[in-house]
Amino acid sequence: MALIPSSSLPLNESPVVAEVNMGDDSAAPTVRATVVQASTIFYDTPATLDKAERLLAEAAGYGSQLVVFPEAFVGGYPRGSNFGVAIGNRTAKGKEEFRKYHAAAIDVPGPEVDRLASMAGKYKVFLVMGVIERDGYTLYCTVLFFDSQGCYLGKHRKIMPTALERIIWGFGDGSTIPVFDTPIGKIGAAICWENKMPLLRTAMYAKGIEIYCAPTADSRDLWQASMTHIALEGGCFVLSANQFCRRKDYPPPPEYIFSGTEEELTPDSVVCAGGSVIISPSGTILAGPNYDGEALISADLDLGDIARAKFDFDVVGHYSRPEVLSLIVRDHPANPVTFTSASAKTDSQKS
């Protein structure tokens, strides 16, 4: 394990440390992957994109072919905020907080997506980026996928936000559970606690996922058990990226309040400790978990490990029993409104 200090960040920023675990020579293809552990610049999307580019350039400099960013990196994870919500009441301050959060989100497609695509092409990496997506006045916790040629591949919307997240984020549907077949492997993502949904995981396994990205906001030790289980269950590599944040990475009070804990926090208090990790299909930890600060955590993925693991256990293959247990996935868009005139126009164009 080599620790490589960053040299490209401005002097006034905390150093980024890259953990690199070099794989052994193998006849099977090897992919160098990096998970980014770093904080959003909250309410400042242009500055966050600048930071993302610095980190992406750094990872590419270490030879990374795939770079995974945390949940809600662009747009921000509103840790500690309750948006002024109580049952039967929403405060004026909470509504203004949502307005600012909405303003920091991005449209998909949109100029920020174009910039991310340009970054992926510039540094010749496959990019998996956690964002807050704005669709009208509804927000979604989303992951965007880009190839190394700078093309936007598609997105995954979190299908089940957790607890109070449901107040501020909409629910994704079955139309955005993609697994992309790329030259470096089949890549997909599930976000934070939706990784605990067995049927969602099974749908992704059925699509042949090989590099399972798990952007998260969960830094607890228990998260590592979930990631190891998924690697073993799916016979896939698991790349989990989380933010490392201190209180000072969020706006100061009274603009932003950590509900219930603000009085206990100092500017240097850690409010999210990271724990980003890369795990092999055999359950071996290849890099991380890191709880020390912002970091680029990298490992070489021997894709031959997938076949070795599947020989033991293929959850949707030789270890399945479809005559006993099966799954139906409704993978069409679930639109709240459909206009019959638009459908008629489409039908007439086909004829």
Side-chain angles (χ1 to χ4, degrees):
M1 179 87 59
L3 296 178
I4 307 172
S6 166
S7 59
S8 64
L9 292 178
L11 293 177
N12 62 346
E13 293 197 17
S14 300
V16 172
V17 175
E19 289 189 21
V20 182
N21 190 346
M22 303 298 189
D24 296 329
D25 290 338
S26 172
T30 298
V31 174
R32 180 161 297 178
T34 293
V35 292
V36 173
Q37 181 165 290
S39 66
T40 302
I41 301 175
F42 212 80
Y43 290 151
D44 194 338
T45 297
T48 298
L49 289 170
D50 290 343
K51 181 174 184 177
E53 181 159 12
R54 292 195 300 272
L55 294 166
L56 196 61
E58 190 125 7
Y62 300 134
S64 295
Q65 299 160 273
L66 169 65
V67 181
V68 181
F69 278 76
E71 177 181 12
F73 185 79
V74 176
Y77 186 81
R79 186 175 301 277
S81 178
N82 62 18
F83 288 85
V85 171
I87 297 209
N89 185 56
R90 287 155 299 283
T91 66
K93 183 178 183 299
K95 292 180 180 181
E96 174 60 14
E97 196 172 340
F98 180 79
R99 184 200 65 77
K100 291 190 289 186
Y101 191 53
H102 178 272
I106 67 172
D107 297 323
V108 180
E112 294 84 3
V113 177
D114 293 341
R115 182 173 177 192
L116 289 167
S118 177
M119 289 181 202
K122 179 179 179 180
Y123 298 106
K124 305 300 181 188
V125 298
F126 287 82
L127 173 62
V128 178
M129 176 63 74
V131 307
I132 299 304
E133 177 191 357
R134 180 176 55 222
D135 187 356
Y137 290 94
T138 296
L139 303 180
Y140 295 92
C141 184
T142 297
V143 169
L144 306 181
F145 300 85
F146 304 87
D147 70 16
S148 60
Q149 303 303 306
C151 296
Y152 167 63
L153 298 177
K155 68 185 178 185
H156 164 61
R157 284 177 171 173
K158 192 173 189 177
I159 65 170
M160 178 51 72
T162 299
L164 201 65
E165 293 174 356
R166 298 172 197 167
I167 299 296
I168 55 167
W169 295 340
F171 294 61
D173 59 36
S175 68
T176 67
I177 311 175
V179 172
F180 297 100
D181 192 355
T182 78
I184 63 169
K186 295 179 181 178
I187 302 171
I191 305 169
C192 207
W193 275 24
E194 67 176 0
N195 282 284
K196 297 185 176 187
M197 301 174 71
L199 300 185
L200 174 61
R201 298 198 308 269
T202 302
M204 294 172 68
Y205 301 151
K207 292 188 174 187
I209 192 165
E210 296 171 332
I211 301 177
Y212 185 117
C213 303
T216 188
D218 191 342
S219 61
R220 300 173 307 153
D221 291 341
L222 285 172
W223 182 251
Q224 304 301 318
S226 292
M227 296 299 95
T228 300
H229 173 77
I230 291 170
L232 289 167
E233 178 183 66
C236 52
F237 290 95
V238 172
L239 282 61
S240 183
N242 193 6
Q243 298 193 33
F244 183 93
C245 304
R246 298 184 186 275
R247 176 61 185 90
K248 63 187 178 185
D249 292 317
Y250 286 81
E255 180 184 4
Y256 192 100
I257 299 292
F258 275 72
S259 180
T261 61
E262 186 64 58
E263 294 181 357
E264 304 167 10
L265 301 175
T266 70
D268 287 324
S269 294
V270 175
V271 295
C272 183
S276 302
V277 70
I278 299 176
I279 302 174
S280 81
S282 67
T284 301
I285 294 177
L286 300 179
N290 182 301
Y291 297 100
D292 298 328
E294 294 201 339
L296 301 178
I297 300 161
S298 301
D300 287 346
L301 315 182
D302 176 1
L303 299 187
D305 285 346
I306 297 169
R308 298 178 190 110
K310 297 281 193 182
F311 177 63
D312 290 336
F313 183 81
D314 185 355
V315 67
V316 291
H318 62 76
Y319 220 92
S320 65
R321 288 291 305 277
E323 75 279 17
V324 179
L325 302 168
S326 62
L327 171 66
I328 297 172
V329 179
R330 295 173 180 85
D331 58 356
H332 59 279
N335 297 317
V337 179
T338 301
F339 292 94
T340 57
S341 59
S343 299
K345 184 177 179 180
T346 301
D347 291 340
S348 65
Q349 288 173 341
K350 290 179 180 178
S351 60

